[in-house]
Amino acid sequence: MNRLQQLFRDKKDICSVYFTAGYPNIDDTLPVLKALEDAGTDLVELGMPFSDPLADGPTIQASSEQALENGMSIKRLFEQIKDMRQTISMPVVLMGYFNPVFKYGVENFIAKCKEVGVDGLILPDLPFDEYREKYQELFEEAGIANILLITPQTSDERIKLIDANSNGFIYVVSSASVTGAKKEVEQGQINYFNRVNNLGLQSPRLIGFGISNRSTFKTACQHASGAIIGSAFVKLIGEHGAEGSKIEEFIKSIK
């Protein structure tokens, strides 16, 4: 049983946190990871900065731009996390866009993920059909989960197909907008969560986009295995860096 499977078996109300590698400073990646684990975070989505992050709101876009200015790259990221399993036991997935992965070389990228202990990938712009045709076998042989996304516009038939091809969790995008903190979950979103839950899916699900505080986190947890916090945390480290006490305070305010 891998780390992701064990997490979803053993825990509920899972708190997953996204932050951008190499932000706010180039060498903050591992210190922030460690501070998140020490604070009780269940899962981390480590963002790979990209110059054209289409699905990201202004906070994460700005963090990506800063990380790139800092000199962040895929190669640098793997160097930073090559020994993370000496100190980090929680699941870690990489999230970003397919172009940098393709340029690095998909086979080499997957092999490197396995080598350093990455548990999964979230590549929102990798078409599902292309993944199945070209890369699914590669992912599965390496034991790397490809975490697929659904949105309110995804049909029931498509959601069931994604569920049948998922081996980590399904990322439930809460709305059709870009990432960004919101103060409350709207009724239309709850109707969408209920529709997904009524499909009898086998895969665990985490809700992301717009989760920023205890209220939105708890509401999301009522409809899924947990939730993902991104922009609110990126804003925090933008102000305070890898300061452990501030990160712990933030996680406790959510959970």
Side-chain angles (χ1 to χ4, degrees):
M1 182 176 292
N2 63 36
R3 279 178 288 262
L4 279 173
Q5 290 170 332
Q6 191 166 348
L7 173 66
F8 285 101
R9 185 197 68 179
D10 296 344
K11 289 197 174 184
K12 60 181 182 177
D13 296 355
I14 289 167
C15 178
S16 179
V17 173
Y18 169 96
F19 75 97
T20 306
Y23 178 81
N25 300 303
I26 187 71
D27 292 322
D28 282 340
T29 306
L30 200 57
V32 173
L33 260 181
K34 187 70 174 71
L36 281 168
E37 172 143 295
D38 291 345
T41 308
D42 299 308
L43 166 66
V44 163
E45 297 171 14
L46 189 51
M48 300 179 287
F50 182 52
S51 57
D52 191 21
L54 295 175
D56 294 318
T59 300
I60 292 177
Q61 275 195 27
S63 72
S64 192
E65 289 168 5
Q66 182 62 56
L68 290 172
E69 285 181 19
N70 292 344
M72 199 61 194
S73 65
I74 299 289
K75 183 174 182 289
R76 188 74 174 263
L77 173 58
F78 282 132
E79 288 171 357
Q80 290 179 345
I81 63 174
K82 64 184 173 65
D83 298 319
M84 72 173 174
R85 288 303 170 197
Q86 294 179 12
T87 55
I88 305 295
S89 60
M90 65 183 170
V92 174
V93 302
L94 300 184
M95 183 172 187
Y97 295 85
F98 187 59
N99 183 276
V101 174
F102 185 77
K103 284 186 175 179
Y104 189 91
V106 180
E107 286 192 27
N108 291 336
F109 186 88
I110 296 294
K112 203 68 179 174
C113 285
K114 181 178 181 180
E115 179 186 320
V116 304
V118 166
D119 300 286
L121 294 176
I122 305 173
L123 300 168
D125 63 337
L126 172 59
F128 175 56
D129 294 332
E130 184 176 342
Y131 162 70
R132 289 180 71 197
E133 291 169 13
K134 295 183 178 180
Y135 306 117
Q136 186 166 8
E137 188 175 341
L138 185 65
F139 275 72
E140 291 177 350
E141 285 178 355
I144 304 294
N146 182 38
I147 292 134
L148 301 163
L149 291 80
I150 62 173
T151 74
Q153 286 69 44
T154 309
S155 69
D156 291 358
E157 181 182 22
R158 189 73 164 181
I159 292 172
K160 289 177 181 178
L161 185 61
I162 286 171
D163 178 51
N165 287 273
S166 291
N167 55 1
F169 63 90
I170 294 175
Y171 191 126
V172 180
V173 177
S174 67
S175 68
S177 64
V178 296
T179 57
K182 294 179 176 61
K183 291 183 179 179
E184 60 185 27
V185 178
E186 298 171 355
Q187 184 58 48
Q189 293 172 293
I190 292 173
N191 295 343
Y192 157 54
F193 302 152
N194 288 335
R195 173 171 73 88
V196 172
N197 289 337
N198 288 334
L199 295 176
L201 307 179
Q202 63 183 8
S203 304
R205 295 170 297 287
L206 294 180
I207 294 172
F209 285 45
I211 310 301
S212 64
N213 53 30
R214 179 168 291 180
S215 174
T216 50
F217 177 75
K218 292 298 182 186
T219 300
C221 288
Q222 293 171 11
H223 301 278
S225 301
I228 302 155
I229 297 137
S231 297
F233 182 74
V234 170
K235 183 179 178 184
L236 176 92
I237 62 172
E239 294 171 356
H240 301 285
E243 189 178 330
S245 61
K246 292 292 184 182
I247 290 173
E248 181 178 10
E249 186 180 305
F250 178 86
I251 297 303
K252 285 185 175 176
S253 77
I254 299 290
K255 297 182 76 175

